Amino acid sequence: MTVSLPSHPHLDFHDNNNDQCQRIQNAYTHNLGWKHLRSLRTSPTTLDYRQTTIRNNKYGLDTLLFVLDGPDQAAAYYPLMCRFGYTVHVIVSGAERGLSGSILKTTLEKTGCDHRVILHDVGNRISATGDEETWSMEMASIVTRLSRVFRPRATFYIQRQHPLSHALKTMAENEKTVAIGLPADDVIHALWISDLPLEALEQWHTPDINLVVITDRRPHSLSRLLQSAERSFFLGDQVNLMIHMEQSSDAVTRMHVGQFPWQHGKKILRHRIRKGGLMPAIIESWYPKHNDDYAVILEDDISVSPLFYVWAKYSILQYRYTSAQTKEEEDLRKMMYGVSLYSPRNLELHPAGRRPFHPDNVLLNHYPPRMPYVSQVPCSWGAVYFPEHWREFHEYLTIRLMDLSQDQLLNVTVPKSRSERWKKSWKKYFIELVYLRAYVMLYPNFQSFESFSTNHLETGTHVKTNVKRLNAISAFLVPLMQRDTILAQLPNHRLPTYSDLPVLDLWGYLRTHDELDETASQWHTRVSTCPRTTGTFDPQDLLCPFPPPEVPVPEPPKKPKKIKTVYAVEPIEYVTMYNNNQQQQQQQQQQQQQHIMDEEYVPQPIDVAIMPSEPDDGSNLWDDHWLDLLGELDYMNELYNRVHSRPNEDLRDILTADAELDLD
């Protein structure tokens, strides 16, 4: 059978090559005969690949693909697909589904968004008859064929309960490409996707972020937290919820977590049978399965912003999955151990006590407004923790606590830190680790301390009276971000590169990574005898105790002379004799001590596997960090009264004055 190919009446082969290429492309695109042939094909042809080569030479190799079914999906994705700086292919389902390519093209031209968008209307290639499932399979088949030609780095579609969403997801798995399905309402909160490098975008599904909730017997607080999390935007990701209940959790709490519906992933419940206290509850609540496993750790008196997951996902993709420009930046990124959801109003580690804190007082003269920063201080009021650092902390804390209950050979301290008073707080030991490793955590810095989590300072184990809570809550409660202004407030409307982030130490002073590392290196020699190692996430070099003080070896007693005693009545001779066994034992002890002194001391880290275990008595260990907070409520009440007694004075002036007093 002979098929005569349609010709284009205006095709002139006597023109120059560039003109010929342009005319061939126009003929391929607009000629009705070619359109008919393309509609009959189900796999790419040589001419398809030729057109791909022409487009790649013109626009570059990096492309993205959007699949739009109807005007609602086009309206949802329009703000995002117009932000990219490279070629975007858009496949529309045609006029039969409510959106033709010509209408979308006209819209793009009117808004100046057509210079990098290439439209493909496939409505005439799909049979109008049949159910939604049949139509979806045909649509997915066409998308598969075209994606093999375009080779997009990522394919976007609207995630919904529809066969097309499932078909596109299956297509991506079979073709081993990245398909990103966003709910229509979530797209507007993911515009920062266009700022990510393509290698980070290709890792969209790699991070596995879990919600870890610790609760005891505050069902009302727990309900507030869970409801705030349920209303959040999860960008179409599957997010597991793990709830850990203390042994003393009441029946209302257990019933509530059992009946609470969680639509965004799996719900996993754990209940202790022996009282553990806050430290085991936090530390044992999560252990990373792999290096792409993350946890948002939340206590039950926390509530979260609907945008908390957006902030966490954006930060993780930006600083964990974006290629570093230099080897130095790559090494520095390993120092980040988490992302805080909370913007602190206070500094808690000054020896004199808690001090008010405003990041503008530190950063404003050196960095643009609203610049996020990294700080060494770990956040316990809503934060994402990274797997390598949390695994290292697990091992470090295990050995530290075992040593404290046994030989107490380790002498790990942080100089001039108030955390040294906290003997039973998990943050004390995390602060030790971050100080000796020069680790840092990312903190938000939005207007008026706007945050993605806040603490309600609930009455309970540490805050005994509601009066103290109400008087001091203004010093800890921060506003939650309800309206998405993340990009609007960030400098240059995007997260800065890691090397541009300000660095603060444990006491809120501006430092550099090199200064933190130098301080850690110098202090390491004071707490451990092993040489310092970095970048391995292995705490063994921190756990080499110094030898105990040398005990002087007593000189062996001299053998006494025989003493002859003469008595007037009757001569009696007394002789002092020594037991031979006792002499041998003394000689053996002397030889052992001499052998220890002569042997060259080789420092060895403590091995927790060979240390004896103490039985758990089930006692409830109080968290000294919270006890410190309880003891300072009077100071916070005083600050509250000062603010309301001086209405004409700005709060920032009062905070600045307190900071200057602390510096003195």
Side-chain angles (χ1 to χ4, degrees):
M1 178 178 178
T2 304
V3 179
S4 59
L5 297 179
S7 61
H8 195 281
H10 302 290
L11 191 59
D12 185 3
F13 288 96
H14 296 287
D15 293 342
N16 57 45
N17 293 334
N18 293 334
D19 205 16
Q20 287 184 20
C21 291
Q22 184 63 39
R23 291 177 181 276
I24 291 174
Q25 183 177 2
N26 292 336
Y28 179 81
T29 304
H30 302 293
N31 186 270
L32 295 178
W34 280 115
K35 285 186 176 181
H36 176 69
L37 286 179
R38 289 201 307 272
S39 67
L40 299 177
R41 294 198 311 268
T42 58
S43 59
T45 66
T46 303
L47 191 56
D48 285 325
Y49 289 112
R50 174 176 174 80
Q51 297 304 312
T52 303
T53 303
I54 294 174
R55 283 192 293 267
N56 287 340
N57 291 336
K58 183 178 179 181
Y59 299 106
L61 295 175
D62 294 332
T63 62
L64 296 175
L65 178 62
F66 285 78
V67 180
L68 305 180
D69 178 26
D72 293 339
Q73 295 189 12
Y77 264 128
Y78 174 81
L80 177 59
M81 65 186 184
C82 291
R83 291 172 58 94
F84 289 100
Y86 28 77
T87 305
V88 173
H89 293 275
V90 179
I91 299 177
V92 295
S93 56
E96 292 291 335
R97 308 285 295 186
L99 178 66
S100 65
S102 59
I103 293 178
L104 181 56
K105 182 178 181 180
T106 302
T107 304
L108 295 175
E109 290 175 348
K110 288 182 179 180
T111 56
C113 183
D114 61 328
H115 61 290
R116 286 192 178 273
V117 177
I118 302 176
L119 292 174
H120 308 272
D121 190 337
V122 298
N124 60 345
R125 306 188 193 184
I126 305 177
S127 174
T129 61
D131 56 12
E132 286 293 298
E133 186 172 353
T134 302
W135 178 90
S136 299
M137 294 302 295
E138 293 184 15
M139 182 70 173
S141 177
I142 294 176
V143 172
T144 301
R145 180 175 64 83
L146 292 178
S147 65
R148 290 174 182 173
V149 177
F150 303 148
R151 301 293 182 184
R153 301 284 292 272
T155 299
F156 291 87
Y157 64 95
I158 292 295
Q159 185 183 93
R160 53 179 177 155
Q161 293 298 324
H162 190 272
L164 180 59
S165 297
H166 302 295
L168 292 176
K169 183 178 180 181
T170 303
M171 178 271 295
E173 294 174 353
N174 295 335
E175 297 296 324
K176 298 182 179 180
T177 62
V178 179
I180 301 176
L182 298 176
D185 294 336
D186 291 12
V187 175
I188 194 64
H189 305 299
L191 300 183
W192 40 266
I193 286 178
S194 61
D195 300 326
L196 293 174
L198 288 178
E199 66 267 13
L201 198 55
E202 290 176 323
Q203 301 296 322
W204 179 268
H205 299 293
T206 302
D208 185 11
I209 305 175
N210 305 281
L211 266 62
V212 178
V213 175
I214 294 93
T215 186
D216 189 356
R217 44 188 170 186
R218 293 190 290 212
H220 298 291
S221 300
L222 177 63
S223 177
R224 178 183 56 207
L225 168 61
L226 296 180
Q227 290 184 39
S228 66
E230 174 67 24
R231 294 191 296 266
S232 300
F233 301 103
F234 290 98
L235 307 178
D237 291 350
Q238 290 292 304
V239 180
N240 296 332
L241 173 66
M242 296 183 286
I243 303 178
H244 295 261
M245 294 174 284
E246 182 59 277
Q247 175 263 340
S248 55
S249 62
D250 57 356
V252 178
T253 298
R254 296 195 297 271
M255 180 181 65
H256 178 62
V257 299
Q259 297 179 352
F260 183 79
W262 183 252
Q263 307 296 330
H264 308 285
K266 295 180 180 179
K267 183 179 69 173
I268 304 169
L269 305 181
R270 296 287 185 267
H271 179 229
R272 296 184 69 100
I273 61 172
R274 298 191 67 179
K275 192 76 171 179
L278 188 57
M279 182 189 294
I282 296 290
I283 306 304
E284 297 175 3
S285 64
W286 171 65
Y287 192 81
K289 300 183 291 293
H290 45 74
N291 287 343
D292 297 307
D293 189 20
Y294 303 85
V296 182
I297 298 180
L298 303 167
E299 297 182 41
D300 58 10
D301 58 350
I302 305 293
S303 60
V304 295
S305 157
L307 298 162
F308 85 94
Y309 188 84
V310 175
W311 167 255
K313 180 101 174 187
Y314 183 20
S315 302
I316 289 174
L317 289 175
Q318 173 72 11
Y319 297 122
R320 295 272 293 182
Y321 296 95
T322 299
S323 298
Q325 300 296 325
T326 62
K327 180 62 168 61
E328 180 182 3
E329 183 179 352
E330 182 180 354
D331 294 337
L332 290 179
R333 287 187 186 181
K334 295 180 180 179
M335 300 296 103
M336 181 184 287
Y337 65 85
V339 177
S340 174
L341 308 178
Y342 179 80
S343 299
R345 292 178 179 267
N346 305 280
L347 296 170
E348 58 185 355
L349 297 179
H350 285 273
R354 197 177 300 267
R355 288 290 178 264
F357 169 73
H358 198 297
D360 285 356
N361 296 335
V362 182
L363 306 178
L364 201 55
N365 295 329
H366 308 278
Y367 295 91
R370 312 279 71 84
M371 186 74 165
Y373 61 92
V374 293
S375 170
Q376 288 191 287
V377 180
C379 178
S380 58
W381 290 348
V384 186
Y385 283 90
F386 294 171
E388 302 95 331
H389 309 80
W390 192 259
R391 195 182 295 114
E392 180 183 13
F393 178 51
H394 256 255
E395 186 173 355
Y396 174 81
L397 184 59
T398 300
I399 298 178
R400 282 284 281 126
L401 295 180
M402 187 67 73
D403 175 70
L404 287 173
S405 65
Q406 300 293 331
D407 300 325
Q408 300 185 10
L409 299 176
L410 297 172
N411 186 29
V412 184
T413 59
V414 177
K416 300 180 180 179
S417 175
R418 195 156 169 264
S419 61
E420 289 301 302
R421 307 177 187 177
W422 308 338
K423 302 303 180 184
K424 300 171 184 177
S425 170
W426 70 272
K427 287 183 66 175
K428 163 188 166 61
Y429 302 102
F430 206 105
I431 289 170
E432 293 176 357
L433 181 63
V434 301
Y435 183 77
L436 292 170
R437 287 287 190 244
Y439 289 159
V440 291
M441 169 175 273
L442 179 70
Y443 277 83
N445 180 20
F446 297 109
Q447 188 175 8
S448 302
F449 294 96
E450 200 172 27
S451 302
F452 304 98
S453 69
T454 189
N455 183 281
H456 295 275
L457 207 68
E458 296 288 0
T459 55
T461 302
H462 306 293
V463 183
K464 295 296 184 182
T465 63
N466 197 46
V467 175
K468 289 186 176 182
R469 170 185 175 269
L470 293 177
N471 291 337
I473 194 173
S474 61
F476 300 97
L477 189 67
V478 295
L480 293 175
M481 182 179 289
Q482 302 293 337
R483 187 171 60 91
D484 189 354
T485 59
I486 296 176
L487 295 182
Q489 294 194 58
L490 286 175
N492 299 322
H493 308 299
R494 60 182 300 169
L495 279 174
T497 59
Y498 186 82
S499 57
D500 292 335
L501 290 172
V503 181
L504 274 62
D505 64 10
L506 290 171
W507 301 273
Y509 301 130
L510 197 60
R511 297 287 188 262
T512 65
H513 280 287
D514 290 339
E515 289 175 340
L516 294 183
D517 189 69
E518 178 63 24
T519 301
S521 179
Q522 293 178 359
W523 194 252
H524 179 93
T525 60
R526 305 280 297 271
V527 300
S528 177
T529 55
C530 286
R532 184 170 181 256
T533 60
T534 57
T536 60
F537 306 108
D538 186 350
Q540 292 299 317
D541 63 303
L542 306 176
L543 302 167
C544 300
F546 287 94
E550 295 184 1
V551 179
V553 180
E555 295 182 0
K558 297 180 179 179
K559 186 176 181 179
K561 297 180 180 180
K562 294 181 179 180
I563 301 175
K564 187 175 183 180
T565 305
V566 178
Y567 293 92
V569 179
E570 182 178 356
I572 302 176
E573 186 177 84
Y574 291 90
V575 179
T576 303
M577 303 295 294
Y578 289 90
N579 188 294
N580 292 334
N581 292 334
Q582 184 178 1
Q583 290 180 350
Q584 292 177 0
Q585 292 177 358
Q586 290 180 350
Q587 291 177 357
Q588 290 178 357
Q589 291 177 358
Q590 294 171 10
Q591 291 175 358
Q592 291 177 356
Q593 292 175 352
Q594 187 64 34
H595 177 72
I596 294 174
M597 296 176 61
D598 293 341
E599 183 181 7
E600 181 180 2
Y601 177 75
V602 179
Q604 294 292 335
I606 293 178
D607 186 0
V608 69
I610 64 175
M611 300 181 70
S613 299
E614 290 292 328
D616 181 13
D617 59 0
S619 62
N620 183 15
L621 304 180
W622 280 36
D623 190 334
D624 294 293
H625 167 230
W626 277 98
L627 293 178
D628 252 357
L629 175 61
L630 178 62
E632 287 183 344
L633 292 183
D634 294 335
Y635 169 74
M636 295 303 167
N637 294 335
E638 179 185 352
L639 177 62
Y640 176 82
N641 294 331
R642 288 169 58 189
V643 173
H644 286 270
S645 64
R646 295 147 64 179
N648 296 328
E649 188 172 355
D650 189 4
L651 174 61
R652 185 174 300 178
D653 296 334
I654 298 176
L655 298 177
T656 304
D658 281 343
E660 292 176 351
L661 287 174
D662 189 62
L663 287 173
D664 295 339

